[in-house]
Amino acid sequence: MKAWVYGQYGKPEDVLKLKSEVDVPDVNDDQVLIKVVAASLNPIDFKHMHGYFKAIDSPPLTVAGYDVAAVVVRVGSKVKEVEVGDEVYGDIHEHALYPKGCGSLAEYTAVEEKVLALKPKNLSFAKAASLPVAVETAYGGLESAGLSAGKSLLVLGGAGGVGSFIIQLAKNVFGASEVAATCSAGKLELLKTVGADLAIDYKNNKYEDLPEKFDVVYDTVGESDRGIKALKEGVRVVTIAGDGSEVPPVFMFVVTSTGCVLNKLKPFTEEGKLKPVIHTKGPFPFSKTIEAFSETDPLSNISVHFSCPIQDYVVSIVNTIDMTHNIECIFRECLMRLGKHLRMRSLNLSEL
């Protein structure tokens, strides 16, 4: 099969290669083999490819990619919920720190049934592939923070991949009474289109000085200290951009990939209450995946989802919006676990 593979650590343009004779992965009893139709890129792909986690990472050769939309072509003996021919989507790596050797940027990949869900009927494969990591992170954080009907919410970094779904979920799923969100000046209208009641230019306004305080603050950009000041007494700030040293009322949420959340949200997606934002630069040919990677800068405040329909060999750029820390929670967990691992081995981060 064809797949984008890297056999050493480095920049995508230096190490990522399109191979045409990669073995189709074997399927375990609890797995399904899927034919990939669309795949999305996340900053975590960069992190692994650059060797940020090489002390504990699975060694290359590695096929890149986490998010996927695909068709089931084979099922293991213990698979119960999906069948051959089903259209599915999900984040194929349950734990981002320990990805399987075969990711989603391939014609076929083997996936545990529990991380997949049936694709919403109203979404193309490209749009479905842009959802899993971001929407699961948004939903899990809101649920952990106790957001419920009638409560108010402030989103720090609302124009990002996770942030845009936080707003939509808060309004359309959790029933929040008011949602305010921060972004740069150029993205204020975007926040309103995804449902924010109040869009705040964080560079020119001190949201922590607003007279109104909020029941929940969801921090996607690492500003929990400021967020506390916008919080009502006795409630909490949830962050996906912490460093592991958080103390109440701040707590850190780390997502675990599961198809359960995607299944729970499927009715809202099919009703049009959860909408991915597609970037205008796409689509790219699958053969131009390296060019697609070039739009995803892991060191900047912007990250990009690319949807790569394999059958049509096209890459779409999806969900490129301001301050997208759509996988920040996972990356932060990886850093913390890596640090603990290195301390146990008496190593220094500078050795990496």
Side-chain angles (χ1 to χ4, degrees), residues 120-142:
K121 295 178 181 179
N122 63 318
L123 292 186
S124 66
F125 283 97
K127 289 184 178 180
S130 75
L131 286 172
V133 168
V135 79
E136 289 179 37
T137 301
Y139 181 87
L142 289 173

Side-chain angles (χ1 to χ4, degrees), residues 122-168:
N122 63 318
L123 292 186
S124 66
F125 283 97
K127 289 184 178 180
S130 75
L131 286 172
V133 168
V135 79
E136 289 179 37
T137 301
Y139 181 87
L142 289 173
E143 187 176 54
S144 298
L147 186 69
S148 59
K151 292 184 177 181
S152 60
L153 170 71
L154 172 63
V155 186
L156 306 182
V162 173
S164 62
F165 281 122
I166 293 171
I167 295 168
Q168 294 180 69

Side-chain angles (χ1 to χ4, degrees), residues 42-296:
N42 290 287
I44 196 68
D45 293 299
F46 264 99
K47 307 301 181 183
H48 281 287
M49 200 176 302
H50 277 77
Y52 285 27
F53 314 120
K54 64 183 177 183
I56 50 175
D57 206 354
S58 56
L61 299 165
T62 300
V63 177
Y66 280 68
D67 285 340
V68 73
V71 177
V72 177
V73 296
R74 190 186 309 162
V75 299
S77 60
K78 295 181 180 179
V79 171
K80 299 178 180 179
E81 301 299 328
V82 299
E83 301 177 347
V84 172
D86 282 345
E87 298 178 351
V88 295
Y89 73 130
D91 168 10
I92 68 173
H93 302 302
E94 183 179 11
H95 303 290
L97 191 59
Y98 306 106
K100 300 182 288 291
C102 189
S104 59
L105 288 177
E107 290 185 287
Y108 297 91
T109 193
V111 188
E112 286 72 20
E113 178 189 23
K114 63 183 176 181
V115 303
L116 296 175
L118 294 177
K119 182 179 74 66
K121 295 178 181 179
N122 63 318
L123 292 186
S124 66
F125 283 97
K127 289 184 178 180
S130 75
L131 286 172
V133 168
V135 79
E136 289 179 37
T137 301
Y139 181 87
L142 289 173
E143 187 176 54
S144 298
L147 186 69
S148 59
K151 292 184 177 181
S152 60
L153 170 71
L154 172 63
V155 186
L156 306 182
V162 173
S164 62
F165 281 122
I166 293 171
I167 295 168
Q168 294 180 69
L169 287 166
K171 294 294 289 186
N172 300 324
V173 178
F174 288 85
S177 60
E178 181 179 10
V179 176
T182 68
C183 67
S184 60
K187 299 295 182 180
L188 294 173
E189 286 304 315
L190 173 62
L191 291 191
K192 294 177 182 178
T193 64
V194 296
D197 299 298
L198 176 63
I200 304 167
D201 176 0
Y202 72 96
K203 292 183 178 179
N204 297 311
N205 297 279
K206 293 184 176 181
Y207 56 81
E208 63 269 38
D209 292 339
L210 288 172
E212 177 186 7
K213 303 304 177 183
F214 297 88
D215 295 301
V216 174
V217 174
Y218 198 139
D219 169 33
T220 75
V221 294
E223 294 185 351
S224 295
D225 289 344
R226 291 179 65 188
I228 290 173
K229 298 175 183 178
L231 202 62
K232 292 179 180 177
E233 256 188 75
V235 290
R236 302 194 293 172
V237 175
V238 54
T239 183
I240 58 171
D243 59 9
S245 63
E246 292 74 31
V247 295
V250 181
F251 74 98
M252 186 169 174
F253 173 75
V254 179
V255 69
T256 299
S257 174
T258 170
C260 293
V261 170
L262 298 178
N263 280 322
K264 186 182 295 186
L265 297 178
K266 184 180 177 183
F268 299 96
T269 306
E270 291 186 335
E271 292 170 11
K273 295 180 179 179
L274 292 176
K275 298 178 181 179
V277 180
I278 304 298
H279 194 277
T280 56
K281 287 188 178 180
F284 285 68
F286 183 64
S287 60
K288 300 292 185 181
T289 294
I290 291 176
E291 284 83 345
F293 262 104
S294 71
E295 296 291 336
T296 309

